[in-house]
Amino acid sequence: MSRAARLVFACWTIACTGNIAREGGPADESGDAEGVTAGTGGGGPRGGQGGVGGSGGTSPPAFVPAPARMRRLTVVEYRNSVRDLLGEPVTLPSAVEPDVVLFGFTSVGAASSDVSRLGVDRYEKASWTLAAEAMGSETRRRAFLGCAPTAATDPCVRTFIERFGRRAFRRPLEKAETDGFLGLVSTLAQTPGNVNLGLEYVVAAFLQSPSFLYRPEVGRAMEGGQRRFDGWEMASRLSFLFWASGPDDPLLDAAAAGTLDGVTGIQRESERLLASPKARDGLLRFF
């Protein structure tokens, strides 16, 4: 087995750790080296299960999955995700909620800390600044939206919301979510020429939503009180593992097609992500 193949297999194994877990959430909530390392030693944040093999040659205790958590994007993950969503060039915000280092790792802190009031304000201000930049000029706005809508009823408005929303939330939008964003555009577009302002508000709303700022990976219920990650959650685990960013359209398409429900599809997508130049920074952070 080549070095690259061994790396893919090792990273895939870590991404899938806890793919089947007991009721209450995935066994490994981190999906990267930091979270895995933090959970293996005695007295760590996973509840102190003890080292592998235990002490005095005794068998290790039964594995108990960690509780499910809503893990906030780290600063690196947030900035990378914004860059990939809005495209280049983009002015990345210098001041957002800082990472919390817990047990030596930011990924553990991201799953165990709240957002401060100042942090909420910073995310909000960053979202408005980024949205205004993405919609700032006609040339960039047309490239970003993929069209030039003149009214809220233009079909491309819904198309953009559904496409951008799937990338931002890393899953398809629910009907109520789509309708809510369409309603926001319609309200602002009542003044002639304000459809673009409505879409700017939509982009800002996406970027300050908990569905963007957090990674809800709780799985779907299975028999026996277990839960298994669905394809959308696996897409996020793989992309944040290899790229420290959200999944691209091909990875989300694989999730929609059910490809990420099996080992073969996960390995194939892992190799594709590893071949990207973005994997260099992602894996350097991993190690």
Side-chain angles (χ1 to χ4, degrees):
M1 183 182 292
S2 67
R3 292 178 60 188
R6 287 198 300 270
L7 181 58
V8 167
F9 179 76
C11 291
W12 167 80
T13 301
I14 293 172
C16 294
T17 299
N19 195 27
I20 298 180
R22 298 180 183 178
E23 186 73 39
D28 165 34
E29 73 214 45
S30 66
D32 57 21
E34 297 174 344
V36 172
T37 303
T40 56
R46 300 290 185 249
Q49 294 297 319
V52 175
S55 59
T58 59
S59 298
F63 176 73
V64 178
R69 296 181 185 274
M70 293 283 285
R71 188 152 60 97
R72 180 168 51 89
L73 300 185
T74 65
V75 173
V76 170
E77 292 169 344
Y78 170 83
R79 290 176 176 168
N80 287 347
S81 297
V82 165
R83 177 203 62 203
D84 292 342
L85 280 171
L86 303 183
E88 299 285 0
V90 60
T91 305
L92 298 176
S94 57
V96 293
E97 181 78 339
D99 291 330
V100 174
V101 179
L102 190 60
F103 298 98
F105 302 102
T106 57
S107 61
V108 178
S112 307
S113 58
D114 298 327
V115 178
S116 66
R117 291 185 179 182
L118 177 59
V120 171
D121 183 62
R122 285 174 170 174
Y123 281 130
E124 181 182 7
K125 289 180 178 178
S127 71
W128 289 112
T129 301
L130 291 166
E133 184 174 355
M135 300 285 290
S137 67
E138 182 178 355
T139 300
R140 179 163 186 176
R141 182 168 60 247
R142 182 184 291 268
F144 178 56
L145 298 177
C147 60
T150 57
T153 54
D154 194 313
C156 81
V157 172
R158 175 183 288 272
T159 299
F160 168 76
I161 288 174
E162 292 177 343
R163 173 175 54 82
F164 186 78
R166 190 180 79 148
R167 288 287 307 277
F169 286 2
R170 303 176 285 274
R171 57 164 175 81
L173 295 182
E174 298 177 359
K175 183 180 183 303
E177 292 172 325
T178 301
D179 291 344
F181 288 119
L182 285 170
L184 178 58
V185 177
S186 297
T187 299
L188 290 170
Q190 290 178 3
T191 302
N194 270 7
V195 61
N196 290 328
L197 178 62
L199 287 168
E200 182 177 321
Y201 273 54
V202 163
V203 173
F206 273 119
L207 295 181
Q208 58 188 286
S209 169
S211 294
F212 169 67
L213 297 173
Y214 284 82
R215 292 172 53 185
E217 298 169 355
V218 297
R220 60 177 182 267
M222 298 177 61
E223 295 182 1
Q226 296 178 324
R227 304 187 71 87
R228 182 184 183 91
F229 297 140
D230 62 24
W232 306 104
E233 292 167 328
M234 184 55 65
S236 286
R237 292 181 72 83
L238 291 175
S239 64
F240 282 108
L241 170 67
F242 285 102
W243 290 350
S245 183
D248 60 0
D249 283 322
L251 189 54
L252 292 172
D253 290 341
T259 303
L260 300 182
D261 293 337
V263 174
T264 302
I266 293 174
Q267 183 172 359
R268 181 167 59 248
E269 286 301 313
S270 297
E271 292 172 347
R272 182 181 70 83
L273 298 178
L274 182 61
S276 168
K278 291 194 294 185
R280 176 179 177 83
D281 291 337
L283 289 178
L284 282 175
R285 175 179 175 272
F286 174 94
F287 287 106

